[in-house]
Amino acid sequence: MTFKDKHIVLGITGSIAAYKAASLARLFVKEGAEVQIIMTPAGKEFITPVTLSALTGKPVVSEFFGANDGTWHSHVDLGLWADFMIIAPATASTLGKMANGIADNMLVTTYMSMKAPVFIAPAMDLDMFAHPSTTRNISLLQSYGNHIIEPASGELASHLIGKGRMEEPEKIAEYIREFFENQETLSKKKVLVTAGPTYEKIDPVRFIGNYSSGKMGFSLAEECAARGAEVILISGPVSLRTIHPNIRRIDVESAEQMYEAAIYEFPDTDAAILCAAVADYRPVTQSDQKIKRSDDKDLTIELTPNKDIAAALGRIKKENQMLIGFALETNDEEQNALKKIQKKNLDYIVLNSLNDAGAGFRYDTNKIAIIDKNGNRKDFELKDKKVVARDIIDETLGKRDKL
Ligand code: CTP
């Protein structure tokens, strides 16, 4: 992919690294892109608008109104015009404003009106980068679907050594290129995703359920759709919205309903990602009426096993189909995960450990390892579930034409 004919909004904020933004602008322009630069007032202290407008052939936008003629610069129009926006360098202050909707300059208003993908390359001192407020803001921005291009480690403007140096322009360009290439990797593919918990009815007001929020499965569905796939999302009861128009959602309640829907849809797909926390058992009988309380008698609910959806799909899986399962373990994690690969005929299993803080049910973050059917294991850091979804797709259906 080249940047030829791309419409790019390049945001520059007040950091020493602003000089590198000139090389980035030049790189885009040389490949034939149209680049509109927006600077924060502090950005202009580090590099002049004259240098930048000479490179892009367009006046730099910084204020809401033109200084001489009072014309209004439309952040809304820029949001519609752009194929993508890159903010490089992004200071701690701008990250904070973007994360919290403090739209007091042209750069942040444009960011908030942006319809296209947004990339952010932070640059700051190591202590500022490590500060919990920066970590929180980055995590918020990721949760909005923005893409963070991590700073590199090395000597900083303060002469301290650590993480915070803006990534080099060539690497930033490479990251963006890869993103757009990946976007088409799943076009014409059909992916089934199961997500959320199942509810197994006891009586009209009670059920057996679990703490699954559905966030991991929904992030996977969004990620597959963003890469061009047609997605069928079979979801248990959750309070989440689907956003991408290429996701067809089937809402179910019980494991049996999820099984029926999955068995029906799977044959026509290229892959299934089984992220749902399916209840292993259901009550043998379901009372039509609310079970009444008794003070002197124990209540026993007899349970019977539900069908294993993953194993059933594993049995009917064809050569050209891929099956990815999840395992949530508390002990002997890897051994149990490997057993599940065998038993369910999976190609990959994504292992979450309940022993990792911030991972698993009810969190927005997850820490995973991916194990393939040959036992090769790759471990990942604790990340926002949206970013974890990208890692999972990269490793499994991803960019290397695995499907
Ligand atoms: N799974 C499924 N249908 C079930 C149970 C599990 O499709 N009835 C899928 C899950 O979606 C997950 C994988 O199987 O992808 C492993 O689920 P997990 O609950 O970890 O495994 P179980 O087979 O239920 O084993 P156990 O509860 O004993 O660990």
Side-chain angles (χ1 to χ4, degrees), residues 30-56:
K30 259 180 104 176
E31 284 196 21
E34 249 188 87
V35 180
Q36 175 60 61
I37 289 179
I38 305 181
M39 300 179 85
T40 59
K44 290 196 284 187
E45 304 288 331
F46 289 86
I47 184 165
T48 72
V50 177
T51 309
L52 295 164
S53 63
L55 285 171
T56 61

Side-chain angles (χ1 to χ4, degrees), residues 53-300:
S53 63
L55 285 171
T56 61
K58 274 183 192 289
V60 166
V61 173
S62 180
E63 312 298 335
F64 290 109
F65 299 97
N68 300 327
D69 53 10
T71 46
W72 183 57
H73 294 136
S74 172
H75 53 92
V76 179
D77 287 350
L78 280 175
L80 293 168
W81 172 82
D83 290 308
F84 67 89
M85 179 176 191
I86 161 83
I87 298 127
T91 57
S93 154
T94 293
L95 292 179
K97 288 183 183 182
M98 289 164 66
N100 295 289
I102 302 170
D104 66 351
N105 65 39
M106 189 64 191
L107 191 150
V108 181
T109 48
T110 306
Y111 160 71
M112 291 181 71
S113 308
M114 191 50 59
K115 299 268 185 248
V118 177
F119 302 89
I120 303 165
M124 65 198 74
D125 202 50
L126 76 163
D127 293 316
M128 292 178 80
F129 188 71
H131 195 275
S133 65
T134 307
T135 310
R136 199 203 63 186
N137 288 330
I138 285 182
S139 169
L140 276 173
L141 291 165
Q142 283 176 324
S143 74
Y144 307 154
N146 302 152
H147 307 273
I148 303 291
I149 304 174
E150 290 274 322
S153 290
E155 187 172 351
L156 304 166
S158 57
H159 300 301
L160 293 171
I161 297 185
K163 191 169 177 180
R165 203 165 74 177
M166 187 179 94
E167 191 49 283
E168 295 304 320
E170 295 73 26
K171 290 244 177 90
I172 293 178
E174 203 42 50
Y175 182 101
I176 298 170
R177 239 191 273 280
E178 209 169 274
F179 169 84
F180 282 103
E181 282 166 8
N182 275 351
Q183 264 202 324
E184 280 126 51
T185 49
L186 294 183
S187 70
K188 304 201 179 69
K189 301 290 178 196
K190 204 165 170 182
V191 181
L192 171 73
V193 180
T194 66
T198 63
Y199 285 2
E200 310 301 322
K201 199 170 162 189
I202 298 170
D203 70 13
V205 293
R206 302 183 183 94
F207 59 84
I208 297 172
N210 59 65
Y211 291 127
S212 170
S213 64
K215 280 183 192 147
M216 194 62 249
F218 275 58
S219 296
L220 281 159
E222 292 290 342
E223 183 61 24
C224 289
R227 294 186 191 208
E230 187 187 331
V231 179
I232 304 147
L233 172 63
I234 306 175
S235 175
V238 294
S239 52
L240 297 173
R241 283 186 315 128
T242 44
I243 301 159
H244 202 290
N246 285 0
I247 301 175
R248 174 161 62 88
R249 175 167 167 178
I250 303 170
D251 286 313
V252 297
E253 195 169 287
S254 66
E256 269 186 312
Q257 290 166 349
M258 188 172 275
Y259 173 87
E260 294 300 331
I263 288 285
Y264 180 77
E265 298 288 348
F266 181 61
D268 194 28
T269 63
D270 298 286
I273 309 176
L274 305 173
C275 196
V278 186
D280 286 327
Y281 296 91
R282 67 176 184 281
V284 173
T285 54
Q286 299 173 355
S287 168
D288 288 341
Q289 282 163 7
K290 189 178 166 205
I291 300 171
K292 285 287 174 202
R293 171 195 166 82
S294 158
D295 280 333
D296 50 13
K297 247 180 33 202
D298 287 348
L299 174 69
T300 305

